[in-house]
Amino acid sequence: MLSNKEKMLIAEIWESLTPVAEEIGADALLRMFACFPGSKTYFSHLDISRGSPHLLSHGKKIVLALAEGSKDISQLTVTLAPLQIMHAYQLRIDPINFKLLSHCLLVALSCHMRDDFTAVAHAAMDKYLSAFAAVLAEKYR
Amino acid sequence: MPENSVSADLQTGSDKMVEWTDFERDTIKDIFSRIKYDVVGPAAFARCLVVYPWTQRYFGGFGNLYNAAAIKGNPMVSKHGTTIIHGLDRAVKNLDDIENTYTELSVLHSEKLHVDPDNFKLLADCLTIVVAAQLGKEFTGEVQAAFQKFLAVVVSSLGRQYH
């Protein structure tokens, strides 16, 4: 459950990170690949080494989607409808991986924002990422 | 041919020792030598109580946990946070025998404190994020992986005496 204050905070944070979307997204992905090697299996068709164009562009996509969703969290199901279909029928990524990436996104945010990533911001962001992941998996079955 | 070729390991549990690479050993020791225990411990524990409020169920005697500010300023929270991080220190000094290091603590958390062992993982995640904020860019994916492996072994050891 997100309060209005938390929704604003989340939108603010993602807005401020949009200029560095590539950096944050790639960082989170690299962390996930290092910590949870099973996640790499979904990327066997891409070059996911540090600095690779695939990694940067993929990282950017993810962060921009998160930023877009945060602009109106109550409309997540509408905003994410195309991504829901893609993940359910095409990508079919096991949803456990959403949790793993969410954790790595939080770590990436913490490394980037340092003390600005307060406990309150962390709590709000964790809730948002959980909600986002849940919506993304909604059409799986 | 053996009837049950299921590995004996499953019966004996984790008799296998955890293997650490040199990078992992060095990284774990390095992290703990650089963080301020009396900052990181309290911050991680307070963060856990804020981000996962149901964990407050074990701390009814801690007084005011009403909001993030109260939790952060609560002296009992700080004290317990420091206790926790010093507890982790024991594992750092005994990387090759973390399991036995925590036998008593595991029994304590299970039989006296009745803490759901899933909570250990929540605290571990909060600690990772607090350490990340402290170390910034130096907390690379590889460093994170080593740190998380360490915490996973600790968490597993703490859960071992539950029955």
Side-chain angles (χ1 to χ4, degrees):
Chain A
M1 225 182 43
L2 284 164
S3 69
N4 287 331
K5 226 170 151 187
E6 284 175 315
K7 287 181 189 175
M8 270 173 36
L9 180 57
I10 292 160
E12 229 172 72
I13 291 173
W14 286 117
E15 164 119 32
S16 74
L17 293 175
T18 301
V20 287
E22 234 176 36
E23 190 189 312
I24 301 287
D27 186 38
L29 283 168
L30 277 174
R31 289 178 185 286
M32 184 176 68
F33 298 145
C35 296
F36 310 107
S39 61
K40 291 192 286 188
T41 57
Y42 294 100
F43 296 88
S44 51
H45 60 297
L46 295 178
D47 173 10
I48 49 170
S49 57
R50 186 182 297 274
S52 97
H54 287 162
L55 183 76
L56 292 167
S57 112
H58 206 75
K60 189 177 184 182
K61 261 188 242 185
I62 293 172
V63 169
L64 291 183
L66 287 163
E68 192 58 33
S70 75
K71 289 178 183 162
D72 194 350
I73 293 172
S74 62
Q75 294 296 302
L76 266 183
T77 311
V78 174
T79 315
L80 296 182
L83 282 174
Q84 281 180 319
I85 292 172
M86 193 196 294
H87 282 76
Y89 299 113
Q90 197 188 320
L91 301 175
R92 290 176 293 186
I93 294 169
D94 191 315
I96 189 73
N97 293 283
F98 300 154
K99 260 197 166 183
L100 304 181
L101 183 58
S102 294
H103 171 69
C104 290
L105 276 161
L106 293 173
V107 176
L109 289 178
S110 189
C111 284
H112 186 84
M113 295 170 63
R114 315 293 291 265
D115 287 343
D116 288 343
F117 194 56
T118 61
V120 170
H122 174 172
M125 196 56 79
D126 192 28
K127 288 193 268 185
Y128 172 61
L129 293 175
S130 302
F132 196 97
V135 170
L136 217 47
E138 242 169 40
K139 294 193 160 76
Y140 270 50
R141 57 175 176 174
Chain B
M1 221 155 47
E3 283 291 349
N4 292 320
S5 20
V6 168
S7 163
D9 289 337
L10 289 174
Q11 261 80 43
T12 54
S14 50
D15 275 36
K16 287 184 254 188
M17 282 228 309
V18 180
E19 308 232 347
W20 304 100
T21 65
D22 287 342
F23 172 79
E24 286 165 346
R25 274 181 206 277
D26 292 343
T27 298
I28 293 158
K29 288 186 193 293
D30 184 55
I31 289 172
F32 278 85
S33 76
R34 291 167 62 180
I35 57 174
K36 294 197 184 116
Y37 282 33
D38 58 357
V39 168
V40 167
F45 180 51
R47 191 164 282 241
C48 189
L49 296 172
V50 169
V51 177
Y52 308 110
W54 54 91
T55 59
Q56 293 171 26
R57 73 189 301 285
Y58 302 107
F59 303 100
F62 272 37
N64 187 0
L65 300 177
Y66 188 62
N67 55 31
I71 290 168
K72 200 172 167 197
N74 185 314
M76 291 182 80
V77 170
S78 298
K79 182 159 180 272
H80 196 64
T82 308
T83 301
I84 292 169
I85 194 104
H86 281 286
L88 284 175
D89 196 53
R90 289 166 55 198
V92 177
K93 298 187 156 76
N94 284 292
L95 281 179
D96 292 313
D97 195 15
I98 293 179
E99 217 170 86
N100 287 324
T101 305
Y102 288 131
T103 306
E104 280 155 23
L105 271 178
S106 180
V107 170
L108 174 75
H109 282 78
S110 153
E111 294 184 10
K112 188 164 176 243
L113 305 174
H114 307 294
V115 176
D116 180 347
D118 283 341
N119 290 282
F120 304 145
K121 190 171 184 311
L122 300 180
L123 180 56
D125 285 349
C126 286
L127 182 59
T128 301
I129 282 162
V130 167
V131 169
Q134 294 279 295
L135 301 182
K137 279 196 162 34
E138 286 170 45
F139 197 66
T140 62
E142 289 72 27
V143 169
Q144 181 185 341
F147 190 60
Q148 284 186 187
K149 177 175 168 178
F150 168 74
L151 291 177
V153 174
V154 168
V155 164
S156 162
S157 303
L158 277 173
R160 239 170 90 70
Q161 304 303 327
Y162 280 68
H163 61 87

